[in-house]
Short mmCIF file of all heavy atoms in Angstrom, two decimals:
data_model
loop_
_atom_site.label_atom_id
_atom_site.label_comp_id
_atom_site.label_asym_id
_atom_site.label_seq_id
_atom_site.Cartn_x
_atom_site.Cartn_y
_atom_site.Cartn_z
N GLY I 159 -13.93 -35.56 1.96
CA GLY I 159 -13.83 -36.93 1.58
C GLY I 159 -12.54 -37.24 0.78
O GLY I 159 -11.67 -36.38 0.63
N ILE I 160 -12.53 -38.49 0.32
CA ILE I 160 -11.34 -38.96 -0.36
C ILE I 160 -11.33 -38.51 -1.84
O ILE I 160 -12.30 -38.59 -2.52
CB ILE I 160 -11.27 -40.52 -0.32
CG1 ILE I 160 -11.11 -41.04 1.12
CG2 ILE I 160 -10.14 -41.06 -1.19
CD1 ILE I 160 -9.79 -40.74 1.75
N ALA I 161 -10.17 -38.01 -2.29
CA ALA I 161 -10.04 -37.51 -3.65
C ALA I 161 -10.23 -38.64 -4.67
O ALA I 161 -9.87 -39.78 -4.46
CB ALA I 161 -8.69 -36.89 -3.84
N VAL I 162 -10.80 -38.23 -5.83
CA VAL I 162 -11.08 -39.19 -6.89
C VAL I 162 -10.33 -38.75 -8.18
O VAL I 162 -9.61 -37.76 -8.18
CB VAL I 162 -12.59 -39.31 -7.18
CG1 VAL I 162 -13.30 -39.91 -5.97
CG2 VAL I 162 -13.17 -37.92 -7.53
N SER I 163 -10.49 -39.52 -9.22
CA SER I 163 -9.69 -39.46 -10.41
C SER I 163 -9.43 -38.04 -10.95
O SER I 163 -8.26 -37.67 -11.29
CB SER I 163 -10.35 -40.28 -11.51
OG SER I 163 -9.71 -40.15 -12.72
N ASP I 164 -10.47 -37.22 -11.06
CA ASP I 164 -10.27 -35.91 -11.70
C ASP I 164 -9.92 -34.80 -10.74
O ASP I 164 -9.71 -33.67 -11.16
CB ASP I 164 -11.55 -35.54 -12.46
CG ASP I 164 -11.58 -36.13 -13.88
OD1 ASP I 164 -10.51 -36.47 -14.38
OD2 ASP I 164 -12.68 -36.22 -14.46
N ASP I 165 -9.81 -35.10 -9.46
CA ASP I 165 -9.37 -34.08 -8.49
C ASP I 165 -7.84 -33.86 -8.71
O ASP I 165 -7.10 -34.75 -9.09
CB ASP I 165 -9.61 -34.54 -7.06
CG ASP I 165 -11.09 -34.58 -6.71
OD1 ASP I 165 -11.82 -33.69 -7.19
OD2 ASP I 165 -11.49 -35.48 -5.93
N VAL I 166 -7.39 -32.65 -8.44
CA VAL I 166 -6.00 -32.30 -8.60
C VAL I 166 -5.21 -32.81 -7.37
O VAL I 166 -5.52 -32.40 -6.23
CB VAL I 166 -5.80 -30.79 -8.79
CG1 VAL I 166 -4.30 -30.48 -8.87
CG2 VAL I 166 -6.49 -30.30 -10.04
N ALA I 167 -4.25 -33.67 -7.59
CA ALA I 167 -3.45 -34.26 -6.52
C ALA I 167 -2.27 -33.40 -6.15
O ALA I 167 -1.89 -33.32 -4.98
CB ALA I 167 -2.97 -35.63 -6.91
N LEU I 168 -1.68 -32.75 -7.17
CA LEU I 168 -0.39 -32.12 -7.00
C LEU I 168 -0.26 -30.88 -7.92
O LEU I 168 -0.67 -30.98 -9.08
CB LEU I 168 0.70 -33.16 -7.32
CG LEU I 168 2.17 -32.68 -7.40
CD1 LEU I 168 2.70 -32.27 -6.05
CD2 LEU I 168 3.04 -33.88 -7.92
N VAL I 169 0.22 -29.79 -7.35
CA VAL I 169 0.54 -28.65 -8.22
C VAL I 169 2.02 -28.31 -7.97
O VAL I 169 2.48 -28.23 -6.84
CB VAL I 169 -0.35 -27.42 -8.01
CG1 VAL I 169 -1.73 -27.64 -8.53
CG2 VAL I 169 -0.40 -27.00 -6.54
N LEU I 170 2.76 -28.18 -9.07
CA LEU I 170 4.12 -27.76 -9.02
C LEU I 170 4.34 -26.63 -10.02
O LEU I 170 3.61 -26.52 -11.02
CB LEU I 170 5.05 -28.90 -9.38
CG LEU I 170 5.07 -30.07 -8.37
CD1 LEU I 170 5.84 -31.25 -8.98
CD2 LEU I 170 5.76 -29.67 -7.09
N HIS I 171 5.29 -25.76 -9.77
CA HIS I 171 5.65 -24.74 -10.69
C HIS I 171 6.78 -25.18 -11.62
O HIS I 171 7.64 -25.96 -11.23
CB HIS I 171 6.11 -23.45 -9.96
CG HIS I 171 5.00 -22.65 -9.40
ND1 HIS I 171 4.38 -22.94 -8.22
CD2 HIS I 171 4.40 -21.50 -9.86
CE1 HIS I 171 3.46 -22.03 -7.95
NE2 HIS I 171 3.46 -21.16 -8.96
N THR I 172 6.74 -24.72 -12.90
CA THR I 172 7.88 -24.94 -13.79
C THR I 172 9.03 -24.15 -13.23
O THR I 172 8.91 -23.30 -12.33
CB THR I 172 7.56 -24.49 -15.20
OG1 THR I 172 7.21 -23.09 -15.14
CG2 THR I 172 6.41 -25.24 -15.78
N SER I 173 10.23 -24.46 -13.73
CA SER I 173 11.43 -23.81 -13.16
C SER I 173 11.50 -22.32 -13.39
O SER I 173 12.12 -21.59 -12.63
CB SER I 173 12.69 -24.48 -13.76
OG SER I 173 12.70 -24.26 -15.18
N GLY I 174 10.85 -21.82 -14.45
CA GLY I 174 10.85 -20.38 -14.66
C GLY I 174 12.19 -19.81 -15.01
O GLY I 174 12.50 -18.65 -14.69
N THR I 175 13.03 -20.61 -15.66
CA THR I 175 14.43 -20.17 -15.97
C THR I 175 14.41 -18.95 -16.89
O THR I 175 15.19 -18.03 -16.73
CB THR I 175 15.21 -21.30 -16.63
OG1 THR I 175 15.11 -22.49 -15.82
CG2 THR I 175 16.68 -20.95 -16.78
N THR I 176 13.51 -18.94 -17.84
CA THR I 176 13.50 -17.84 -18.82
C THR I 176 12.14 -17.07 -18.80
O THR I 176 11.99 -16.15 -19.57
CB THR I 176 13.68 -18.41 -20.26
OG1 THR I 176 12.68 -19.37 -20.54
CG2 THR I 176 15.06 -19.07 -20.37
N SER I 177 11.24 -17.45 -17.89
CA SER I 177 9.97 -16.72 -17.87
C SER I 177 9.36 -16.94 -16.47
O SER I 177 9.91 -17.69 -15.67
CB SER I 177 9.04 -17.24 -18.93
OG SER I 177 8.76 -18.63 -18.71
N ARG I 178 8.26 -16.30 -16.22
CA ARG I 178 7.52 -16.46 -14.96
C ARG I 178 7.16 -17.94 -14.79
O ARG I 178 6.65 -18.58 -15.72
CB ARG I 178 6.25 -15.60 -14.95
CG ARG I 178 5.42 -15.75 -13.72
CD ARG I 178 4.07 -15.01 -13.91
NE ARG I 178 3.15 -15.32 -12.87
CZ ARG I 178 2.98 -14.62 -11.75
NH1 ARG I 178 3.75 -13.56 -11.53
NH2 ARG I 178 2.11 -14.93 -10.83
N PRO I 179 7.41 -18.53 -13.62
CA PRO I 179 7.04 -19.94 -13.41
C PRO I 179 5.55 -20.14 -13.68
O PRO I 179 4.74 -19.33 -13.31
CB PRO I 179 7.36 -20.19 -11.91
CG PRO I 179 8.40 -19.15 -11.61
CD PRO I 179 8.07 -17.96 -12.42
N LYS I 180 5.24 -21.29 -14.30
CA LYS I 180 3.86 -21.63 -14.60
C LYS I 180 3.39 -22.73 -13.66
O LYS I 180 4.15 -23.58 -13.23
CB LYS I 180 3.75 -22.12 -16.07
CG LYS I 180 4.16 -21.09 -17.10
CD LYS I 180 4.02 -21.59 -18.52
CE LYS I 180 5.06 -22.59 -18.95
NZ LYS I 180 6.40 -21.96 -19.19
N ILE I 181 2.10 -22.68 -13.29
CA ILE I 181 1.54 -23.73 -12.38
C ILE I 181 1.11 -24.92 -13.21
O ILE I 181 0.33 -24.81 -14.19
CB ILE I 181 0.34 -23.18 -11.63
CG1 ILE I 181 0.77 -22.01 -10.71
CG2 ILE I 181 -0.32 -24.25 -10.77
CD1 ILE I 181 -0.41 -21.37 -9.96
N VAL I 182 1.61 -26.09 -12.81
CA VAL I 182 1.24 -27.35 -13.49
C VAL I 182 0.36 -28.17 -12.56
O VAL I 182 0.81 -28.68 -11.52
CB VAL I 182 2.50 -28.18 -13.83
CG1 VAL I 182 2.10 -29.48 -14.52
CG2 VAL I 182 3.53 -27.39 -14.62
N PRO I 183 -0.96 -28.24 -12.87
CA PRO I 183 -1.86 -29.09 -12.05
C PRO I 183 -1.80 -30.52 -12.55
O PRO I 183 -1.99 -30.77 -13.78
CB PRO I 183 -3.22 -28.45 -12.26
CG PRO I 183 -3.10 -27.50 -13.41
CD PRO I 183 -1.71 -27.54 -13.92
N LEU I 184 -1.62 -31.45 -11.68
CA LEU I 184 -1.60 -32.85 -12.04
C LEU I 184 -2.73 -33.56 -11.31
O LEU I 184 -2.78 -33.54 -10.07
CB LEU I 184 -0.26 -33.49 -11.70
CG LEU I 184 0.94 -32.93 -12.46
CD1 LEU I 184 2.25 -33.40 -11.86
CD2 LEU I 184 0.87 -33.36 -13.95
N ARG I 185 -3.64 -34.17 -12.04
CA ARG I 185 -4.80 -34.79 -11.43
C ARG I 185 -4.37 -36.17 -10.85
O ARG I 185 -3.33 -36.67 -11.12
CB ARG I 185 -5.88 -34.99 -12.48
CG ARG I 185 -6.38 -33.65 -13.03
CD ARG I 185 -7.60 -33.80 -13.95
NE ARG I 185 -7.90 -32.49 -14.56
CZ ARG I 185 -8.65 -31.58 -13.97
NH1 ARG I 185 -9.15 -31.80 -12.76
NH2 ARG I 185 -8.92 -30.44 -14.60
N GLN I 186 -5.28 -36.66 -10.01
CA GLN I 186 -5.01 -38.01 -9.42
C GLN I 186 -4.69 -39.03 -10.48
O GLN I 186 -3.72 -39.80 -10.39
CB GLN I 186 -6.24 -38.44 -8.64
CG GLN I 186 -6.62 -37.58 -7.44
CD GLN I 186 -5.86 -37.97 -6.18
OE1 GLN I 186 -5.45 -39.09 -6.00
NE2 GLN I 186 -5.68 -36.99 -5.29
N ARG I 187 -5.43 -39.05 -11.60
CA ARG I 187 -5.21 -40.05 -12.63
C ARG I 187 -3.85 -39.81 -13.34
O ARG I 187 -3.26 -40.73 -13.82
CB ARG I 187 -6.35 -40.05 -13.65
CG ARG I 187 -6.68 -38.76 -14.26
CD ARG I 187 -7.93 -38.86 -15.21
NE ARG I 187 -8.45 -37.55 -15.55
CZ ARG I 187 -7.93 -36.72 -16.50
NH1 ARG I 187 -6.84 -37.12 -17.12
NH2 ARG I 187 -8.51 -35.57 -16.76
N ASN I 188 -3.42 -38.56 -13.42
CA ASN I 188 -2.11 -38.29 -14.03
C ASN I 188 -0.96 -38.90 -13.24
O ASN I 188 -0.10 -39.59 -13.82
CB ASN I 188 -1.86 -36.79 -14.16
CG ASN I 188 -2.84 -36.02 -15.04
OD1 ASN I 188 -3.15 -34.87 -14.76
ND2 ASN I 188 -3.29 -36.62 -16.11
N VAL I 189 -0.95 -38.64 -11.95
CA VAL I 189 0.16 -39.15 -11.13
C VAL I 189 0.11 -40.66 -11.00
O VAL I 189 1.15 -41.33 -10.92
CB VAL I 189 0.23 -38.46 -9.75
CG1 VAL I 189 0.49 -36.98 -9.93
CG2 VAL I 189 -1.00 -38.70 -8.91
N CYS I 190 -1.11 -41.25 -10.94
CA CYS I 190 -1.22 -42.68 -10.85
C CYS I 190 -0.74 -43.32 -12.15
O CYS I 190 -0.09 -44.42 -12.13
CB CYS I 190 -2.66 -43.09 -10.52
SG CYS I 190 -3.16 -42.71 -8.85
N ALA I 191 -1.07 -42.73 -13.31
CA ALA I 191 -0.61 -43.27 -14.57
C ALA I 191 0.90 -43.27 -14.65
O ALA I 191 1.58 -44.21 -15.07
CB ALA I 191 -1.19 -42.47 -15.72
N SER I 192 1.53 -42.17 -14.18
CA SER I 192 3.00 -42.08 -14.22
C SER I 192 3.62 -43.10 -13.27
O SER I 192 4.63 -43.75 -13.64
CB SER I 192 3.46 -40.67 -13.85
OG SER I 192 4.82 -40.49 -14.14
N ALA I 193 3.07 -43.25 -12.11
CA ALA I 193 3.60 -44.27 -11.14
C ALA I 193 3.49 -45.64 -11.77
O ALA I 193 4.42 -46.46 -11.66
CB ALA I 193 2.83 -44.19 -9.83
N ARG I 194 2.39 -45.93 -12.44
CA ARG I 194 2.25 -47.24 -13.10
C ARG I 194 3.27 -47.37 -14.22
O ARG I 194 3.87 -48.45 -14.37
CB ARG I 194 0.81 -47.31 -13.67
CG ARG I 194 0.54 -48.63 -14.40
CD ARG I 194 -0.92 -48.72 -14.84
NE ARG I 194 -1.33 -47.72 -15.81
CZ ARG I 194 -2.12 -46.71 -15.55
NH1 ARG I 194 -2.66 -46.54 -14.33
NH2 ARG I 194 -2.47 -45.82 -16.50
#
Side-chain angles (χ1 to χ4, degrees):
I160 296 291
V162 295
S163 175
D164 276 339
D165 290 325
V166 178
L168 172 65
V169 288
L170 292 169
H171 281 80
T172 60
S173 61
T175 307
T176 57
S177 61
R178 176 188 171 92
K180 299 182 285 286
I181 297 176
V182 181
L184 296 168
R185 300 185 185 278
Q186 296 275 333
R187 54 183 166 80
N188 297 145
V189 298
C190 288
S192 192
R194 178 174 65 250

